Amino acid sequence: MVVAVTSAATNLPDRRLLLVHAHPDDETIGTGVTMAEYVAAGAAVTLVTCTLGEEGEVLVDSLGHLAAHQEDTLGEHRLGELNQAMAALGVTDFLRLGGDGRYRDSGMAYDDLGMAIARTELRPGIFWTADLLEAANELVPIIRDRRPQVLITYDEFGGYGHPDHVQAHRVAMYAYLLAGVRSYRKDLGPAWVVPRVLWTAMSESRMREAVRAFRNAGDEETWKGFDPDGEMPPMVTSDEDIDCVIDGSDIVSQKMDAMRAHATQITLDGPFFAMADNFGDEAWGQEYFRLAVGTPFPPAPEGSERSWATDVFAGLD
């Protein structure tokens, strides 16, 4: 079934950004500054969340009863957290892939290297086992209706291996292709070729700098398993492979408020806020992206320290 999509605006703004994320809170951690920055600049920002995060760990003791193995009502609660987070970021156009509850959080396990993998026992209706074409067909009409110039999602590893992140990547990339085919499913709206697709990234130099600072301060738990002088895990991107950075240091407080809204998933004494406690909120003020496909970014000005663009729309206007 394809859910009908109604455009958030009759006259679309000149700049339009679409983000595809797996669970409530992923959008804030990975792209909260970017979303807030472009909303403030008058761009159309649309968020598609693929699941309600029903299998997430509940980090608030008094809300433990919401967990999947108890009342199994965490998804509804996390939708409320998402509403609060989007209010903090100023995002008004956000929806779930196929509608609320269409795809269930798949949960995850860990491999011997500490990377997230799919569980051996899988519930019915989870996103990980969804038919790829059916799921893509839920996103195609959104792409054709919102007509984004930039689509942001994860890389093929899903950032850290979570099966829902990997599936979100697959669905977003497949839908990107299908949405641009004039003869494909005309009932889903006129074709739209997204000019640029970006994948989220973590800067290797910034990660090494942060981990080294924690270790020098005697903190061996934050980002445990990361060696600031050794090989970085696959979630970290070499600086030379990064194409764009959004510096939202001036509005990072909005991102921090949105992170606090996701209270069941992000604790004030956890690793995410430890970054801010040690380095200030500005530690969360930069977000990095790789160009996956589409229009390349313009060359950096001569003499620039790095070749990174500072606007996801650069060269598209």
Side-chain angles (χ1 to χ4, degrees):
M1 181 180 96
V2 176
V3 175
V5 176
T6 302
S7 179
T10 303
N11 297 312
L12 296 174
D14 293 337
R15 290 181 157 197
R16 304 177 298 277
L17 174 63
L18 172 65
L19 304 98
V20 178
H21 280 284
H23 317 98
D25 83 338
D26 292 327
E27 82 295 323
T28 296
I29 295 170
T31 56
V33 155
T34 300
M35 296 169 73
E37 184 85 7
Y38 284 106
V39 167
V45 176
T46 300
L47 168 68
V48 176
T49 307
C50 297
T51 80
L52 294 179
E54 296 91 341
E55 297 289 328
E57 183 181 2
V58 181
L59 301 178
V60 179
D61 291 341
S62 62
L63 297 177
H65 58 92
L66 301 175
H69 65 281
Q70 295 193 44
E71 295 177 2
D72 195 19
T73 54
L74 179 58
E76 182 179 352
H77 184 87
R78 291 186 70 177
L79 182 56
E81 292 181 339
L82 180 62
N83 284 324
Q84 295 178 47
M86 292 304 94
L89 298 178
V91 176
T92 58
D93 186 24
F94 57 104
L95 56 161
R96 269 59 62 201
L97 186 69
D100 293 351
R102 172 66 175 86
Y103 297 108
R104 183 182 175 91
D105 180 359
S106 307
M108 65 178 181
Y110 289 99
D111 64 14
D112 294 339
L113 299 176
M115 294 292 105
I117 57 174
R119 292 173 174 174
T120 54
E121 295 184 12
L122 304 174
R123 286 178 179 256
I126 61 173
F127 190 44
W128 177 236
T129 57
D131 181 272
L132 182 57
L133 180 58
E134 289 183 9
N137 279 340
E138 300 286 6
L139 185 57
V140 166
I142 299 173
I143 293 174
R144 289 178 170 179
D145 180 76
R146 301 312 198 268
R147 294 182 287 165
Q149 294 107 334
V150 178
L151 186 157
I152 293 176
T153 191
Y154 313 108
D155 62 15
E156 78 286 354
F157 187 58
Y160 67 105
H162 193 299
D164 286 339
H165 287 231
V166 174
Q167 185 76 322
H169 160 84
R170 293 172 177 173
V171 169
M173 296 306 295
Y174 196 19
Y176 152 76
L177 291 172
L178 296 175
V181 178
R182 179 185 61 81
S183 58
Y184 180 75
R185 291 292 303 271
K186 296 180 181 180
D187 59 308
L188 301 183
W192 176 258
V193 178
V194 180
R196 179 180 288 155
V197 179
L198 302 178
W199 293 346
T200 56
M202 295 176 65
S203 163
E204 180 180 347
S205 63
R206 288 295 302 275
M207 180 55 72
R208 289 189 186 279
E209 177 186 343
V211 175
R212 187 173 292 111
F214 279 120
R215 300 297 176 264
N216 290 340
D219 183 344
E220 298 293 334
E221 292 301 316
T222 302
W223 303 114
K224 188 175 183 179
F226 284 61
D227 180 357
D229 300 308
E231 184 178 354
M232 283 278 125
M235 67 181 67
V236 178
T237 302
S238 170
D239 283 16
E240 67 181 18
D241 291 331
I242 290 174
D243 296 285
C244 183
V245 59
I246 298 301
D247 187 345
S249 299
D250 57 333
I251 59 168
V252 70
S253 61
Q254 291 178 247
K255 177 172 181 172
M256 306 309 291
D257 287 343
M259 288 174 69
R260 292 184 184 92
H262 289 294
T264 62
Q265 306 302 302
I266 305 173
T267 59
L268 294 177
D269 59 353
F272 293 110
F273 279 102
M275 291 280 288
D277 291 342
N278 284 272
F279 309 109
D281 289 354
E282 292 74 16
W284 286 102
Q286 291 78 41
E287 293 168 352
Y288 303 88
F289 303 97
R290 296 162 58 192
L291 175 66
V293 66
T295 305
F297 287 99
E302 187 175 349
S304 297
E305 180 181 355
R306 287 193 173 98
S307 61
W308 299 340
T310 56
D311 176 7
V312 300
F313 296 100
L316 297 179
D317 293 336

